Amino acid sequence: MKISRKIKFFIALFSLLYCISLIQSTYAKYVSSANANANLTIARWDILINTQDVKENSDFTNTITPVFDGNANTAANVIAPTSTGYFDLTLNGTNTDVSYNYTITITNDATSTVTDLILTKYTDTLNVEHTFVDNNYVITNQVAYNATNKVDTYRIYLTWNDDATNTMDNAADTATANTTTKLNVVVNIKQIAN
């Protein structure tokens, strides 16, 4: 009988160790953990106006260079009544990962000495000509994040109006000699939200 008790004890001990082993591995399944990192790419917002990064500096005054053609009676790169010229604006969103729209608004500066400076038309990237209507000097466009070309170039034409619709008379025209005049060019760019 002693042997059978030893066998029973040995079997019971073996069974107990086996059960503990099962419980440990079962318990381990519930306390196991895993670690991972979620790498997220933040969308780029890099828009240049005439090579000026709008994030770095919102004043792009120094990048606008008006060109006045001159003629037989007027020197180049100065304005006088009937002078015509242009300036270029380039918006480059190549390094931008979101869709956006923009509005370009051009107005005569309140301190400008030439109130008869008007914008006549503009050409777009495809060299399509558009006429400004009723002194509404606004250009709008939308750029998709996946557009193949995200560079928009505009050439904006202006003239010193000297016809019957002008507001300055000859005395006012000559009073502006040796002064400067300004146009305000404001570009508002906004991400398109869902």
Side-chain angles (χ1 to χ4, degrees):
M1 246 312 211
K2 256 186 167 184
I3 293 179
S4 101
R5 250 189 191 176
K6 286 183 181 181
I7 292 175
K8 283 182 185 179
F9 178 75
F10 181 71
I11 291 174
L13 185 61
F14 181 73
S15 297
L16 179 64
L17 291 174
Y18 181 71
C19 286
I20 290 173
S21 173
L22 282 176
I23 290 171
Q24 261 188 337
S25 63
T26 301
Y27 181 71
K29 289 181 186 174
Y30 294 105
V31 296
S32 295
S33 63
N35 293 323
N37 291 324
N39 293 322
L40 304 173
T41 303
I42 306 298
R44 296 175 299 168
W45 180 257
D46 293 322
I47 299 175
L48 306 177
I49 300 175
N50 289 5
T51 70
Q52 175 66 50
D53 187 341
V54 296
K55 287 188 316 188
E56 303 287 325
N57 186 355
S58 61
D59 183 2
F60 59 97
T61 300
N62 294 332
T63 68
I64 296 178
T65 306
V67 175
F68 290 93
D69 304 322
N71 57 39
N73 300 308
T74 305
N77 295 317
V78 297
I79 60 170
T82 71
S83 290
T84 60
Y86 65 87
F87 63 92
D88 294 328
L89 281 180
T90 301
L91 282 78
N92 183 343
T94 301
N95 294 321
T96 301
D97 296 324
V98 295
S99 298
Y100 61 92
N101 56 37
Y102 60 83
T103 303
I104 302 168
T105 306
I106 307 166
T107 58
N108 272 322
D109 189 88
T111 64
S112 182
T113 54
V114 179
T115 57
D116 284 336
L117 195 62
I118 60 171
L119 304 178
T120 55
K121 63 184 177 179
Y122 69 93
T123 56
D124 61 20
T125 303
L126 301 174
N127 209 25
V128 175
E129 189 173 290
H130 306 269
T131 304
F132 288 112
V133 179
D134 298 327
N135 297 332
N136 184 18
Y137 307 133
V138 177
I139 302 169
T140 60
N141 197 14
Q142 181 172 319
V143 179
Y145 77 93
N146 58 354
T148 55
N149 179 21
K150 295 183 190 178
V151 179
D152 293 328
T153 301
Y154 298 98
R155 176 161 284 182
I156 297 148
Y157 294 89
L158 52 118
T159 189
W160 184 329
N161 184 19
D162 195 39
D163 65 14
T165 63
N166 64 339
T167 58
M168 297 171 66
D169 59 16
N170 287 341
D173 286 347
T174 55
T176 62
N178 299 318
T179 63
T180 59
T181 192
K182 294 192 277 189
L183 291 173
N184 293 323
V185 180
V186 178
V187 181
N188 287 315
I189 307 167
K190 184 178 179 183
Q191 177 188 343
I192 298 173
N194 292 339

